[in-house]
Amino acid sequence: MATMSSLLLPAQAELADSIKKALAEEGMEVNAGGGPNVSLAALRLMSGALARQLTGLLDIGLADVLVGAWNKAFAVRQQLEKSLKSPGKDMFLQLGEHKITSEHKPYVALMKDGHEVGRLPFSVNLELVLQGAVLRILDGAIKEIQTGRVKGKGVVKCGRFMLVEKEIQPVDVPGTIPVPTASTVSAMFHARAARQAS
């Protein structure tokens, strides 16, 4: 399944080089509430590990991003409520062309001797345009996504430094994308929120 990592991030070596440049060019000070500054030279040496951490933080499934946005849309919420009144009955909702935006602010906590000594902040903005999306709804939840075509763009920054700016070329998405159960999605988001909380 497509993830934000697979849509946006380059190969690990290229991402590590970009992080190293960001740390050098931004001259970021990374500290913990007046604590000792973290050596930027040490951070640059850890750029490969930082790239792996960022990839893990953005291992968010495309279905999760889409469902999160659709659950906030009035028309979709109406259909979800209607579905609750007809248990066990599949409903299909065809959506017109629309745009979904998703913003994330993950960070990597920098630890020394078991204590956080700083945070390296990232920001991610993803914009997707979907055409021909059809949602299969059952018992008040989106169960599958059938989407015809997706395009978009995304930006990943380290502080103010641009790590990635990517245009996602139009691609046809055949078949369906299963949606994890609410409990699975909830557990994933809580685990991710614990890592990303600021």
Side-chain angles (χ1 to χ4, degrees), residues 38-121:
V38 177
S39 162
L40 290 177
L43 284 176
R44 285 192 293 271
L45 290 174
M46 298 187 312
S47 62
L50 293 169
R52 286 188 297 278
Q53 288 294 315
L54 179 58
T55 300
L57 289 170
L58 296 185
D59 192 24
I60 302 169
L62 180 59
D64 297 331
V65 173
L66 298 175
V67 169
W70 287 327
N71 280 333
K72 296 175 188 172
F74 179 72
V76 175
R77 281 197 327 268
Q78 281 184 316
Q79 292 302 314
L80 293 174
E81 289 171 15
K82 186 176 175 183
S83 171
L84 277 173
K85 296 175 184 172
S86 302
K89 181 180 176 186
D90 279 324
M91 298 178 74
F92 294 89
L93 176 62
Q94 184 166 2
L95 304 174
E97 181 176 312
H98 61 288
K99 178 170 56 174
I100 289 179
T101 58
S102 183
E103 183 177 338
H104 305 266
K105 300 233 179 250
Y107 65 86
V108 174
L110 306 168
M111 309 294 285
K112 182 176 182 181
D113 300 326
H115 299 286
E116 185 176 313
V117 295
R119 293 180 178 185
L120 187 60

Side-chain angles (χ1 to χ4, degrees), residues 92-164:
F92 294 89
L93 176 62
Q94 184 166 2
L95 304 174
E97 181 176 312
H98 61 288
K99 178 170 56 174
I100 289 179
T101 58
S102 183
E103 183 177 338
H104 305 266
K105 300 233 179 250
Y107 65 86
V108 174
L110 306 168
M111 309 294 285
K112 182 176 182 181
D113 300 326
H115 299 286
E116 185 176 313
V117 295
R119 293 180 178 185
L120 187 60
F122 295 93
S123 64
V124 181
N125 291 294
L126 179 65
E127 183 179 290
L128 298 172
V129 177
L130 290 94
Q131 300 170 329
V134 177
L135 309 182
R136 182 173 73 88
I137 299 172
L138 177 67
D139 299 331
I142 299 169
K143 298 296 185 181
E144 288 181 340
I145 304 164
Q146 299 173 0
T147 182
R149 195 166 183 79
V150 177
K151 64 180 178 179
K153 60 184 174 182
V155 171
V156 181
K157 293 182 179 181
C158 179
R160 294 181 311 256
F161 186 85
M162 183 79 65
L163 293 177
V164 177

